[in-house]
């Protein structure tokens, strides 16, 4: 695989319809992106794989879809109002703004870990080492200020009775506050899990490496409620599940690694991220956290509702521990795209852009291509209508067949089905494989099961 630069991937995503800059015709809005016709298919397919693994295939597993706007007490209980913040410094010369921790880790090339430093220690480090501003090169920064990442808005008609509320910065709290509702309505027994996929919002000011860091993004989070004595066992199980998930999206194991947190929150027993080897370096795609029973205990304290679970067998009453599995959907998509995109030189010297997407998540499973438009499009459209009942299919009748194959390679369509004159006689078609470019002839009646086999 060629060494692909991020710029090339960003341009490709825009050109072929995966991801566009947000509010493009107005010059964009920093750190926002829109998924295009192919991106939305890829996104939905990845959500489906995640939901199947965590919600559908696990026993005692339930889904929810909670409100984005929650009672602001939720964010006081969770600690986000008081301490969900980044340490920021402004360059006094060029006015650019940076996260102090990023300045230090970039300057020290990862040798120094700012997660282990206090605010004062980070300030001193920047001063003592004359860390330069990445924009203007001078070293003249303001002191560090903590900048809260919560997006605040107001509920209410007039400003004097308006209530400050927040766009959720994570989906997890919806799962915690519904612990009792889910447990009772589903008669769930601990251990059980609650999964949710949805939008989250953070007022990130630092540049984002394409969709890696956005102000509006999607999370897939799964909270597993268990007995205190079982937490370590489940923590290990979910660590393994996280790698399995990314591998099932087609990402090779050698491009994934665990990264244990250097500094744990005071209540946490263990925390680990999965890192993927992006073109811009190794970085986090998900997190697995052993959060003890801190979250439910805090919600009990702030809401005044008893969050205890009564074990029907032992009659023991306890607040369950939580193993949190937090996946950034956009980062999973970005990892998949970076992994799939390639520029290949074929044996005849021709160069092709290709996306080696796993057929399971490819936006289109099949492209229907009539060899020539005039006489064959009716039969090809008929085939499109038949297959579209089962699969996401695309249709292309413009340009030479070679150019059409290349267009499908570019967007990762695993199979191209060519309708030719023999098709009119004997109802057979040619099926071409994206990766090997090999072609087989088969009856239309066998197509459906062939495609299903490829997807599985
Ligand atoms: N509930 C725990 C939680 O939210 P986190 O590590 O802050 O933990 C979890 O976020 C995941 O969400 C990250 O691993 C990442 O994949 C994704 N994520 C976080 N901030 C993001 C951002 N600004 N843009 C895109 N994805 C983000």
């Amino acid at each position: 695989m060629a060494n692909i630069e991020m710029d090339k991937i960003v341009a490709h995503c825009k050109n072929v319809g995966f991801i566009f800059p947000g509010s493009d015709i107005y010059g964009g809005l920093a750190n926002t992106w829109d998924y295009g016709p192919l991106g939305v298919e890829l996104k939905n397919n990845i959500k489906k794989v995640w939901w199947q693994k965590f919600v559908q295939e696990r026993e005692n597993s339930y889904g929810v879809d909670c409100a984005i706007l929650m009672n602001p007490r939720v964010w006081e209980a969770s600690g986000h109002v008081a301490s969900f913040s980044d340490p920021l410094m402004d360059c006094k010369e060029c006015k650019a703004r940076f996260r102090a921790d990023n300045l230090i880790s970039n300057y020290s090339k990862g040798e120094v870990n700012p997660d282990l430093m206090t605010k004062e220690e980070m300030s001193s480090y920047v001063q003592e080492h004359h860390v330069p501003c990445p924009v203007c090169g001078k070293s003249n920064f303001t002191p560090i200020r903590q900048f809260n990442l919560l997006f605040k808005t107001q509920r209410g008609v007039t400003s004097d009775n308006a209530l400050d509320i927040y766009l959720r910065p994570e989906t997890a709290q919806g799962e915690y506050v519904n612990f009792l509702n889910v447990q009772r309505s589903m008669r769930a027994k601990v251990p059980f899990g609650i999964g949710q996929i949805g939008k989250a919002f953070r007022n990130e000011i630092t540049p984002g490496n394409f969709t890696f860091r956005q102000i509006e993004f999607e999370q897939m989070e799964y909270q597993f409620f268990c007995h205190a004595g079982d937490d370590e066992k489940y923590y290990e199980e979910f660590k393994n599940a996280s790698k399995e998930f990314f591998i099932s999206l087609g990402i090779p194991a050698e491009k994934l690694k665990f990264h244990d947190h250097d500094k744990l929150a005071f209540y946490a027993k263990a925390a680990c991220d999965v890192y993927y080897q992006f073109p811009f370096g190794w970085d986090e795609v998900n997190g697995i956290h052993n959060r003890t029973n801190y979250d439910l205990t805090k919600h009990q304290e702030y809401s005044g509702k008893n969050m205890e679970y009564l074990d029907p067998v032992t009659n023991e009453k306890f607040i369950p521990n939580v193993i949190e599995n937090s996946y950034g959907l956009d980062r999973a998509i970005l990892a998949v795209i970076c992994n799939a995109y390639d520029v290949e030189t074929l044996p005849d010297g021709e160069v092709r852009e290709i996306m080696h997407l796993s057929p399971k998540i490819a936006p289109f499973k099949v492209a229907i291509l009539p060899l020539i438009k005039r006489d064959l499009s009716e039969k090809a459209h008929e085939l499109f209508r038949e297959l579209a009942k089962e699969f996401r299919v695309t249709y292309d009748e413009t340009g030479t067949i070679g150019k059409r194959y290349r267009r499908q390679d570019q967007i990762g369509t695993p199979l191209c089905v060519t309708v030719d004159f023999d098709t009119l006689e004997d109802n057979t078609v040619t099926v071409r494989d994206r990766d090997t470019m090999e072609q087989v002839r088969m009856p239309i009646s066998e197509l459906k099961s062939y495609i299903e086999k490829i997807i599985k």
Side-chain angles (χ1 to χ4, degrees), residues 158-187:
T158 57
S159 55
D160 50 343
N161 72 358
L163 174 70
D164 281 344
I165 55 175
Y166 305 96
L167 300 187
R168 67 180 176 200
E170 60 173 19
T171 57
Q173 300 300 327
E175 295 161 329
Y176 299 146
V177 302
N178 279 295
F179 165 70
L180 290 177
N181 283 336
V182 173
Q183 191 271 317
R184 286 178 189 151
S185 58
M186 305 315 291
R187 287 170 285 111

Side-chain angles (χ1 to χ4, degrees), residues 84 169-172 176 202 204 211-215 217-219 221 223 273 284-287 289 291 324 326-331:
F84 189 51
E170 60 173 19
T171 57
Y176 299 146
R202 297 182 188 180
E204 307 268 9
T211 55
F212 184 83
R213 194 173 303 287
Q214 300 175 69
I215 56 177
F217 55 99
E218 238 171 305
Q219 289 187 317
E221 294 200 292
Q223 313 295 329
D273 299 326
E284 174 188 340
V285 283
N286 90 330
H289 314 129
R291 299 182 58 89
E324 173 176 63
S326 184
Y327 292 74
L329 174 57
D330 307 82
R331 289 194 190 172

